[in-house]
Amino acid sequence: MTVLRIGVSSGAPLKTRRSAASAAVSLVTPTPADPSGEPAWLNTILKGDCVAALEKLPAKSVDLVFADPPYNLQLGGDLHRPDQSKVDACDDHWDQFESFEAYDAFTRAWLMAVKRVLKKDGSIWVIGSYHNIFRVGAILQDLGFWILNDIVWLKSNPMPNFRGKRFTNAHETMIWATPSREAKYTFNYEALKTFNDDLQMRSDWQLPLCTGSERLKDASGQKVHPTQKPESLLYRVLTASSKPGDIVLDPFFGTGTTGAVAKRLGRNYVGVEREEAYIEAARKRIDAIEAGSGASLDMQKGKRAEPRIPFGSLLEAGLLAPGTELTCPKGKHLAVVRADGSLVSGDHSGSIHKVGALVQGAEACNGWTFWHINDNGARNPVDELRKLLRSRLAE
């Protein structure tokens, strides 16, 4: 795995490191030309400030963005459990901002950089807590993004509120949005419904925090990253809003959960991260994963996603012949197929849908399911022939 290094010193003052100033890029290890023609930055981690790094990516080059930006938690002092042990809270320097105004400026800068590289029909997910998500949402709208949903991640194992001064904070919020209202974004509705036992997927997802063997630890047994997201969360996000082969960008890569899940699901990724320790952990984690490929990555699709098969194609394929008689399910109405793919039934003629509606005195009709063909004494809808032709074309 190659890491591209963006020239912003990790020891620079906080305000400088969060600026949008342009920076030089160099390869940590040289990347040979890819004979497949894939860009050198694909499936790599860019090291440095996210705004400067994203300037190096081509415009409209990524299909999906998952962003887990600093939450600006505004923690005041250490937090202890009732037994006086210290809680390992997120108090890292990258989550500290001088003011709300500074955080808003940072948010606007990285969102503008993301919007430049996001394809017009792509989408973005941003996760946050009550500390920041409302400010992020407002800035998203100010920049012209169109919000599709807010998803509530209900933590099945949340950290208790040890001080007893507030409700247990048991959820985080994700905003799903497109670059504009007109975007023709990916939403794998049928796949998610199948995933959810044939029930429509809701906007409240109950998933556990990242624990156990999934939680990355350093040599001393400490958590490598304080807010590592569970792979189950990214699995659902990528399943919902991307396709195999898509490019997924994570501008706050951390320990690489997005890259790990992307590789497993046959997606490409590009990450941006500033901290060397996180990059090293992410690299090892992703390198150990076997990339998904082949038919196992196919997704359930609705009828709208299937190729259109005109009724006349059944004649061209020899599945029907001019003069074939079709009937309604009960055999009450009869129609004859003509060479141009139209039907005639008494004084009525036209498409399978039009004639089906006319013989019933209805405003509309799905001719594919209304008209049946006699198959050795059994009546089968002509839609079965359409399915057969689709399978032939797929082969």
Side-chain angles (χ1 to χ4, degrees), residues 93-153:
H93 62 88
W94 46 258
D95 193 61
Q96 298 168 7
F97 290 80
E98 299 170 357
S99 63
F100 286 127
E101 290 78 13
Y103 186 80
D104 290 351
F106 163 72
T107 301
R108 182 175 294 272
W110 74 258
L111 280 174
M112 289 175 64
V114 160
K115 192 170 187 181
R116 186 188 70 83
V117 301
L118 184 60
K119 294 179 181 178
K120 66 181 182 63
D121 292 329
S123 64
I124 177 174
W125 295 74
V126 186
I127 188 169
S129 68
Y130 68 88
H131 303 87
N132 72 321
I133 198 63
F134 304 109
R135 308 186 79 87
V136 172
I139 295 171
L140 272 167
Q141 291 180 314
D142 288 345
L143 293 177
F145 286 90
W146 184 255
I147 294 178
L148 301 170
N149 277 112
D150 65 326
I151 306 294
V152 177
W153 168 29

Side-chain angles (χ1 to χ4, degrees), residues 71 88 122 143 157 180 213 252 274 305 367 373 387:
Y71 285 10
D88 186 16
L143 293 177
N157 55 343
S180 71
S213 59
F252 307 97
R274 200 174 57 208
I373 187 171
K387 293 177 182 177

Side-chain angles (χ1 to χ4, degrees), residues 256-318:
T257 301
T258 300
V261 176
K263 184 176 179 181
R264 184 171 287 118
L265 292 178
R267 278 67 166 166
N268 297 290
Y269 72 89
V270 57
V272 180
E273 178 52 52
R274 200 174 57 208
E275 306 296 327
E276 185 64 43
Y278 297 163
I279 291 174
E280 184 64 26
R283 182 191 297 112
K284 291 179 180 178
R285 177 185 187 182
I286 296 171
D287 284 348
I289 290 174
E290 183 176 349
S293 62
S296 64
L297 299 177
D298 290 344
M299 307 181 78
Q300 191 72 17
K301 298 180 177 64
K303 290 190 174 182
R304 291 184 179 181
E306 295 176 339
R308 182 176 177 274
I309 304 291
F311 181 70
S313 297
L314 302 184
L315 293 162
E316 292 175 333

Side-chain angles (χ1 to χ4, degrees), residues 230-246:
E231 291 191 9
S232 58
L233 187 70
L234 271 297
Y235 195 104
R236 196 169 294 190
V237 166
L238 267 62
T239 299
S241 52
S242 70
K243 302 183 292 294
D246 278 357

